[in-house]
Amino acid sequence: NAGVMQNPRHLVRRRGQEARLRCSPMKGHSHVYWYRQLPEEGLKFMVYLQKENIIDESGMPKERFSAEFPKEGPSILRIQQVVRGDSAAYFCASSLLGEQYFGPGTRLTVT
Amino acid sequence: ILNVEQSPQSLHVQEGDSTNFTCSFPSSNFYALHWYRWETAKSPEALFVMTLNGDEKKKGRISATLNTKEGYSYLYIKGSQPEDSATYLCALGNNDMRFGAGTRLTVKP
């Protein structure tokens, strides 16, 4: 059973471009969570999704950030018009019920 | 705002020493407390999920206790080994976990 997969592992974008981060949950898991780790900071919750539904997006910045978890395919975290302050490691986790299993993260660098 | 505090921020011990660190949280509206072990360049690995006041969990040389009334959890490592070097995170909540900043443990051979 493969673990949580994230791709790409590293992503470089210029200011103003769009970043798309993908997360494939563990097989059978229907809950996906996205977290962000800014430099020198801890993990911060962004959004919790179940298939086709956003359950809690209280940690998402109000602008430029969106997330989806379609019926088929991976969960996508989308950042439009990236700025330097978006440079961070973005982790997703998945769960069936309770314990969350983390992916290896995507490190986004905005130049 | 749910503040999860961890102390100390970092810890250096010698191989063979036993050590412990603390996670503090608001005692109201408690749901669950999670401990994770996070090695550099890897993803956080779940250690324990604790839900009941007085819970004690053990995995090998690592154990944890929980006091929901006073709002703290301790993580203990007995006989630390260099491979225990990692950042230990606690997180409060269920779906929208709020993480502490972590305790970075370094075990010197």
Side-chain angles (χ1 to χ4, degrees), chain A residues 33 37 45 56 91 100 103, chain B residues 36 38 43 94-95 97-98:
Chain A
Y33 316 79
Q37 184 195 24
F45 167 80
D56 181 351
F91 289 88
Q100 295 182 22
Chain B
Y36 284 85
W38 195 4
S43 44
N94 185 26
N95 297 311
M97 287 200 292
R98 302 302 195 236

Side-chain angles (χ1 to χ4, degrees), chain B:
Chain B
I1 295 176
L2 201 60
N3 284 325
V4 180
E5 306 281 344
Q6 289 190 249
S7 63
Q9 191 174 21
S10 65
L11 196 53
H12 294 253
V13 300
Q14 288 294 135
E15 183 176 355
D17 287 351
S18 293
T19 187
N20 67 84
F21 21 94
T22 307
C23 175
S24 304
F25 51 86
S27 54
S28 58
N29 297 320
F30 176 85
Y31 187 90
L33 185 117
H34 307 251
W35 279 102
Y36 284 85
R37 180 174 178 275
W38 195 4
E39 286 183 76
T40 303
K42 294 187 178 179
S43 44
E45 174 198 348
L47 289 174
F48 305 113
V49 180
M50 309 175 80
T51 55
L52 297 174
N53 184 43
D55 251 355
E56 289 189 29
K57 298 258 175 127
K58 191 171 189 289
K59 185 185 287 190
R61 293 178 292 99
I62 304 177
S63 60
T65 61
L66 177 65
N67 184 324
T68 60
K69 292 191 188 316
E70 296 183 34
Y72 64 84
S73 175
Y74 293 139
L75 189 79
Y76 301 90
I77 302 179
K78 186 177 176 183
S80 303
Q81 300 295 309
E83 57 265 30
D84 296 330
S85 297
T87 296
Y88 291 82
L89 298 170
C90 74
L92 197 66
N94 185 26
N95 297 311
D96 57 339
M97 287 200 292
R98 302 302 195 236
F99 281 84
T103 292
R104 182 180 295 276
L105 174 67
T106 304
V107 182
K108 298 176 186 175

